[in-house]
Amino acid sequence: MHRSVIVTIVSNMAAAGCVFHRTLARSRLDPSKASSSSSSSCVCRDLLYVVDLHRYSRDQGSSVYFPQSVLSGDDLYDVTVTDGDCRLRVTLDPGLNKLVERNVLAPGSTLRNATFTPALSAQLPACTGASDSYRLVSMEVVADGVRREDVDVLPWFRSSQPTGPLRANRSVFLPLWNNVDYSGDGWRGAPPAEEEEDEDTQEAGQGLRPAVTVSELRDSFLSGRRPVARGFVQHQLIVRIISKSHLMYYGRTEQNCECPYKAVLEVCDQTGSVCVVLWNSVCVDWYRCLKPGDIIGLRRYRVKPHYQAERGAIEISVNSRNPAAQISVVPESSLSPEYLPPAPTYSFYTSKQLLERPHGSECDVIGLIMFSGRSERIRNKAGGAELLEYHWLSLEDGTSDQPIRVKLFSTSQPETHSKLHPLSVVVCTRLRCIRDADRTNVGFYLTNTSYTQVYCTGLGHHSEMSYRKLRPVRQFLQWLRSQDDGQVLSRALIGGFFIHPPPAFCLENYMKDRRGEPGFLRGVELQRELERLCYRERQTFCIQATVAMVTYCRRGEEDRSMFWSDRASSLPSPSSSSLRPSPILSFPSTPSLTSTPRSFRSSSPSSSIHQLTPLPRGAGRTSRKRKQQLQEQTPKRRQEGPVRLHEQRHHEDGTSVGGSAVTLLSLCRLPRFRLQPEQNTQTVILFEASREFLDNTNADEDKDSTDEDAASFVISPLPPDFTPIALETLPMRFDYTHREEQAVAVAMGGRVTAERQDWALEDYYTLRLRALSDSLMVDAVFLPHASTSPLLPHSNTWISILSHGAFSSHAPPPSPADLIAMATQLTNQRLVCVLEACHLGGARTELILSRAFHLTD
């Protein structure tokens, strides 16, 4: 009672200065005209801040609430906004969904000139908080908003806190970026209160025993005995969970199911195994509470045929009604020994043993994370608009030089995935081997099955699992304790662009690997596809093009660059063609958000980062012997003061005449990669990582070459106009002290900043491509000095470097100045360009040139 009085007082105090009170309450909007007239709308001129976004799928009745909107997708969004005095939850007009899908509108965004229309008060009588409901139909989004941390204490405008979706009959929200994880406080972390044991499961002075076994259920069902075959089973079944699937969301727009979830448990007792299917709200109450190895008791369930298994198989259906099932967690100590179900079994394989595993086989692995990639999404190949979230992991276990690469999709363990950063010990179960029969182990990796589960240090998982006593796990821990923290830290990376398996080295093999994928795109088609990408969505595109310009620079120093340009390409003026982020974006609730310029460049092209290990401490530095070789191979005029390698004449309007040109107007030193030596070379971090299983310096820089190996930058009076590399593209050296901040930065919705980051890679090349089909210009970044694929010998010409995606392994790489000088080799050369695209949020799209193959007549 006292709490309600306090809330009322706070609400009254906030009302006087509340923006919503001044604009929404005093304007006296007429809900009856909300669907027919724009006169019922109200514009809030003050700044509002986005507190949270909630996603859910619409149902059969949702279209009634948006009579003038085009419902092109399945999702709806509720937005919580605040003015600093109180909070208000509104529904985003479906015409603005693209703002969320491209991460333009996000928690922390600042809104200006937000336009609201009222919703009918009787629209959703069963939804708490819907009586004073509004739609957000247009706004100006101020970029780079700051997330407010003090909003939880603010009162709600005119109502209590809404408890569910405002515009659909759903009981829980979906995660913002995938359909697999759970989201919200409604998902129980502890089991519901248990009921008293039934008489048929326990006798005085004796342990707990089941009333029926798996084999008895199967026999009764197949023989048609009642009530197993036609009703529900009251007798308790006691089984152990062997495997647990991820959550499966089956909500559809034509269905009104409040909680359309299911999950599958593989369970067993001493007589056999069976699948238990958890349906609907049972998932909300029990999914988080159950894990493999737990013993559970089931009552009031139905037995059904298992259509996806062999004939005669059954499954057990557990639902919240018709009948309401009863589940309990059974301690092993309370069970009679003769009825104790068998423990789960594991099949651990080391990195060395995995090289012999066939394609499609399942395995369990344990390893130390050395690389954790950024979260990305791809389209579900099974069809539909669903985007699947994943990120790459690289694990080491000390048994071979080959890392264990895992393409890890969501497993309905969001808390665990947030801890998957370098120097964590991870156990992944029920993974599937992916192997290309034509390319041996080059493209080998592991990925999810429906039953994949992940266990990571930092959450206490390992101490609870039975695998900690297995021999492969104990051998791994022994190797882990022998490692040095400093040496491991020097190789650990997080984030950045990563590609695996690496593309083929020749056009014929690449096209064979790409069979079934879309063919070459015209420039305008590529532009259209890039504009359709959702946030962190990854796709591969192919175009035929020539190279119009090559630029070399370093991150943060793009105003000092070396470049070569081909006069014949007739480069357009970038002032009218580039797509750049804007600090303020204005959006009405219409499907079309931006115009489509004829000539374009991706807003944030990014480097093709292919390596998992940082460049060695001497990277970027050339030996004396190599420097002498370069001096012999490079025109002597490069060693003089400000020079010009190729004469370039200009008209009065600034356009150049003559052939292709490489302009060097000034020389300056190239900053080197630097890695600070670790102060602590003990094994404290790795020892701590292994404790859950218990009941559990780099060399100094070579200063002699400091002044001998500096490469050259070029400063041009009119430098080429291109967008600098996106920070999300660059791999960061792992910082154990700031591991939580780094993990958040590379996760969905995160943002990498330059503060306190030690970049493993900073210099890059940008190639301006001219599409052969329609002369559209596209900028893509190429990084030849890093690759995850085995380096092969080649001639280190531009054509061979582009086709391999890297320099030759059997010769010193050319310096940036030499490579720019060699760019004349690309004049009028037709190429098949393989582009990796990923939308980074807002107006930023990453475009990477991973391969370019020479087209011959």
Side-chain angles (χ1 to χ4, degrees):
M1 180 175 179
H2 294 293
R3 176 178 174 84
S4 62
V5 172
I6 293 175
V7 171
T8 302
I9 294 175
V10 172
S11 300
N12 292 334
M13 292 176 61
C18 179
V19 171
F20 301 130
H21 178 75
R22 295 199 308 267
T23 57
L24 301 181
R26 295 182 180 179
S27 60
R28 298 181 180 180
L29 301 179
D30 186 358
S32 63
K33 299 180 180 180
S35 61
S36 60
S37 175
S38 60
S39 62
S40 62
S41 63
C42 178
V43 180
C44 180
R45 305 296 181 185
D46 297 85
L47 293 180
L48 301 178
Y49 307 95
V50 178
V51 176
D52 210 347
L53 287 168
H54 294 94
R55 181 174 73 101
Y56 52 97
S57 61
R58 57 189 178 93
D59 59 14
Q60 289 178 317
S62 297
S63 59
V64 176
Y65 311 131
F66 309 99
Q68 296 179 335
S69 300
V70 178
L71 301 180
S72 57
D74 293 342
D75 292 335
L76 296 175
Y77 296 92
D78 288 345
V79 187
T80 302
V81 293
T82 181
D83 60 350
D85 292 313
C86 54
R87 288 177 286 172
L88 173 67
R89 181 177 293 178
V90 299
T91 302
L92 187 69
D93 190 278
L96 298 176
N97 281 5
K98 198 69 174 178
L99 299 183
V100 180
E101 294 166 357
R102 292 178 67 87
N103 204 36
V104 174
L105 182 65
S109 296
T110 303
L111 308 183
R112 181 182 298 162
N113 294 330
T115 303
F116 301 92
T117 61
L120 297 176
S121 59
Q123 283 181 343
L124 293 172
C127 178
T128 303
S131 57
D132 291 302
S133 186
Y134 299 88
R135 282 191 296 136
L136 181 58
V137 296
S138 69
M139 77 204 78
E140 293 177 4
V141 181
V142 181
D144 300 325
V146 179
R147 186 188 293 266
R148 297 174 61 93
E149 303 293 341
D150 57 346
V151 295
D152 289 341
V153 299
L154 298 179
W156 290 89
F157 174 67
R158 276 191 167 183
S159 64
S160 58
Q161 179 178 359
T163 58
L166 297 178
R167 296 292 174 267
N169 186 30
R170 310 293 188 194
S171 60
V172 292
F173 292 105
L174 289 166
L176 206 55
W177 306 117
N178 67 67
N179 286 353
V180 177
D181 292 334
Y182 48 80
S183 176
D185 298 333
W187 295 80
R188 289 178 177 267
E194 298 183 12
E195 298 182 3
E196 295 183 2
E197 295 295 339
D198 200 47
E199 295 179 357
D200 61 353
T201 61
Q202 190 167 12
E203 297 179 8
Q206 297 183 359
L208 193 65
R209 61 184 61 190
V212 66
T213 64
V214 171
S215 62
E216 291 172 347
L217 283 177
R218 182 181 294 110
D219 293 342
S220 298
F221 180 80
L222 296 178
S223 62
R225 298 178 197 164
R226 291 175 177 266
V228 175
R230 300 184 182 180
F232 65 88
V233 181
Q234 177 70 28
H235 300 309
Q236 179 162 259
L237 174 70
I238 298 178
V239 289
R240 189 190 297 272
I241 301 174
I242 302 301
S243 299
K244 173 184 173 182
S245 79
H246 62 73
L247 286 168
M248 288 165 268
Y249 183 78
Y250 64 91
R252 299 293 182 268
T253 58
E254 66 274 9
Q255 297 175 342
N256 287 334
C257 181
E258 290 186 6
C259 189
Y261 279 97
K262 79 169 185 176
V264 181
L265 307 176
E266 290 185 343
V267 303
C268 72
D269 63 7
Q270 291 187 334
T271 67
S273 61
V274 69
C275 286
V276 174
V277 183
L278 309 181
W279 290 98
N280 306 327
S281 61
V282 175
C283 293
V284 178
D285 291 337
W286 282 98
Y287 183 82
R288 291 185 60 190
C289 310
L290 303 177
K291 65 180 184 300
D294 287 347
I295 298 177
I296 58 174
L298 301 174
R299 296 177 62 241
R300 298 175 61 82
Y301 50 86
R302 293 185 183 274
V303 180
K304 298 181 178 181
H306 193 342
Y307 295 105
Q308 296 181 342
E310 66 273 8
R311 187 173 183 179
I314 64 170
E315 68 179 28
I316 295 175
S317 179
V318 179
N319 214 322
S320 57
R321 55 189 175 187
N322 299 326
Q326 295 178 0
I327 308 176
S328 60
V329 177
V330 179
E332 284 196 27
S333 58
S334 66
L335 197 63
S336 298
E338 63 270 22
Y339 295 105
L340 193 66
T345 58
Y346 297 93
S347 300
F348 280 96
Y349 289 86
T350 65
S351 59
K352 184 177 181 180
Q353 294 168 335
L354 285 173
L355 298 178
E356 307 299 326
R357 295 291 293 166
H359 174 78
S361 59
E362 290 190 6
C363 63
D364 306 321
V365 296
I366 182 173
L368 179 68
I369 300 178
M370 294 303 299
F371 168 76
S372 177
R374 72 188 184 199
S375 296
E376 296 178 343
R377 300 191 293 171
I378 58 174
R379 294 283 170 182
N380 190 345
K381 292 183 178 180
E386 182 183 4
L387 288 165
L388 305 178
E389 182 182 344
Y390 71 95
H391 66 284
W392 283 96
L393 298 177
S394 180
L395 316 179
E396 291 185 6
D397 63 2
T399 62
S400 75
D401 295 333
Q402 292 291 327
I404 302 173
R405 293 196 173 104
V406 183
K407 188 177 186 179
L408 187 64
F409 290 85
S410 300
T411 59
S412 302
Q413 298 172 284
E415 294 86 359
T416 302
H417 282 244
S418 67
K419 298 292 184 181
L420 295 179
H421 52 65
L423 271 65
S424 295
V425 175
V426 64
V427 170
C428 300
T429 62
R430 299 288 298 270
L431 293 174
R432 182 165 55 96
C433 298
I434 304 297
R435 184 185 301 279
D436 191 333
D438 298 332
R439 299 172 62 188
T440 62
N441 293 318
V442 172
F444 176 79
Y445 66 95
L446 306 175
T447 192
N448 299 50
T449 62
S450 297
Y451 295 95
T452 296
Q453 292 284 285
V454 183
Y455 308 98
C456 182
T457 49
L459 295 172
H461 289 158
H462 298 309
S463 61
E464 301 174 351
M465 305 304 294
S466 59
Y467 57 66
R468 71 183 189 277
K469 299 179 180 179
L470 299 178
R471 183 178 179 183
V473 176
R474 289 188 282 110
Q475 289 176 336
F476 167 78
L477 294 176
Q478 185 177 3
W479 168 82
L480 182 68
R481 295 186 187 115
S482 68
Q483 301 303 297
D484 179 82
D485 281 0
Q487 293 180 356
V488 173
L489 273 172
S490 68
R491 296 183 290 111
L493 295 178
I494 185 170
F497 176 82
F498 178 75
I499 182 171
H500 191 80
F505 300 135
C506 69
L507 180 59
E508 182 181 359
N509 290 341
Y510 177 78
M511 298 308 295
K512 186 184 301 182
D513 294 341
R514 194 176 163 81
R515 58 185 178 273
E517 299 292 333
F520 300 136
L521 298 180
R522 298 170 59 243
V524 68
E525 292 173 335
L526 173 63
Q527 177 185 5
R528 188 161 51 245
E529 291 298 325
L530 294 179
E531 292 172 348
R532 289 175 178 171
L533 292 178
C534 292
Y535 175 58
R536 292 281 182 92
E537 181 182 356
R538 176 85 171 267
Q539 284 197 39
T540 303
F541 303 108
C542 287
I543 65 169
Q544 298 184 53
T546 58
V547 178
M549 184 167 67
V550 180
T551 305
Y552 170 81
C553 57
R554 289 178 60 84
R555 182 202 65 82
E557 301 177 4
E558 282 78 10
D559 56 335
R560 298 186 291 172
S561 61
M562 283 186 289
F563 71 96
W564 163 87
S565 62
D566 182 7
R567 183 196 63 84
S569 298
S570 301
L571 296 179
S573 173
S575 61
S576 61
S577 62
S578 60
L579 299 176
R580 296 179 178 275
S582 173
I584 299 180
L585 305 175
S586 179
F587 300 102
S589 57
T590 57
S592 178
L593 299 179
T594 58
S595 61
T596 304
R598 168 65 176 159
S599 179
F600 82 109
R601 293 183 297 115
S602 65
S603 296
S604 185
S606 300
S607 307
S608 179
I609 307 296
H610 293 295
Q611 67 173 15
L612 283 181
T613 56
L615 294 179
R617 201 177 286 274
R621 187 180 297 125
T622 312
S623 64
R624 282 198 187 103
K625 182 176 180 181
R626 172 60 183 154
K627 183 180 177 75
Q628 293 171 357
Q629 293 174 349
L630 291 177
Q631 290 174 346
E632 294 172 359
Q633 299 169 6
T634 307
K636 292 184 178 180
R637 285 193 293 173
R638 271 188 57 211
Q639 304 172 33
E640 301 171 0
V643 296
R644 189 165 294 170
L645 286 186
H646 186 92
E647 194 68 20
Q648 185 173 2
R649 301 187 304 276
H650 293 268
H651 290 299
E652 292 182 358
D653 61 357
T655 58
S656 59
V657 296
S660 60
V662 180
T663 307
L664 293 178
L665 296 179
S666 179
L667 302 180
C668 65
R669 300 202 179 280
L670 173 65
R672 295 171 185 78
F673 303 118
R674 293 189 180 273
L675 176 63
Q676 297 297 329
E678 294 296 328
Q679 300 298 323
N680 182 8
T681 58
Q682 303 301 315
T683 59
V684 177
I685 298 175
L686 301 181
F687 177 76
E688 290 297 328
S690 68
R691 288 188 63 183
E692 288 186 9
F693 291 87
L694 303 176
D695 271 356
N696 166 2
T697 25
N698 296 314
D700 293 335
E701 297 185 20
D702 182 5
K703 298 181 180 179
D704 295 337
S705 60
T706 299
D707 298 325
E708 296 180 347
D709 54 8
S712 300
F713 280 108
V714 178
I715 300 179
S716 170
L718 291 173
D721 183 79
F722 61 92
T723 306
I725 191 170
L727 297 182
E728 287 88 342
T729 301
L730 300 172
M732 299 174 286
R733 299 189 191 276
F734 178 63
D735 184 348
Y736 188 79
T737 303
H738 300 100
R739 58 190 181 277
E740 300 295 339
E741 293 90 334
Q742 286 186 326
V744 170
V746 300
M748 296 295 293
R751 188 75 177 265
V752 177
T753 59
E755 289 79 14
R756 295 200 307 265
Q757 302 299 349
D758 184 9
W759 307 103
L761 204 62
E762 291 191 275
D763 55 333
Y764 62 98
Y765 295 82
T766 301
L767 274 66
R768 181 161 292 174
L769 306 175
R770 181 176 183 267
L772 294 179
S773 58
D774 48 18
S775 299
L776 208 66
M777 295 293 181
V778 179
D779 283 354
V781 170
F782 178 60
L783 210 105
H785 49 276
S787 176
T788 57
S789 58
L791 299 182
L792 299 177
H794 57 81
S795 59
N796 264 346
T797 64
W798 262 107
I799 297 300
S800 63
I801 293 171
L802 288 171
S803 63
H804 286 77
F807 294 123
S808 171
S809 60
H810 287 55
S815 68
D818 289 335
L819 203 55
I820 292 296
M822 292 163 48
T824 54
Q825 300 171 358
L826 298 173
T827 304
N828 296 326
Q829 298 298 313
R830 296 181 300 154
L831 304 173
V832 172
C833 301
V834 182
L835 301 172
E836 297 290 333
C838 183
H839 186 262
L840 299 179
R844 303 178 306 136
T845 299
E846 177 185 78
L847 201 60
I848 301 148
L849 180 66
S850 61
R851 292 288 191 274
F853 304 106
H854 187 215
L855 274 176
T856 57
D857 294 331

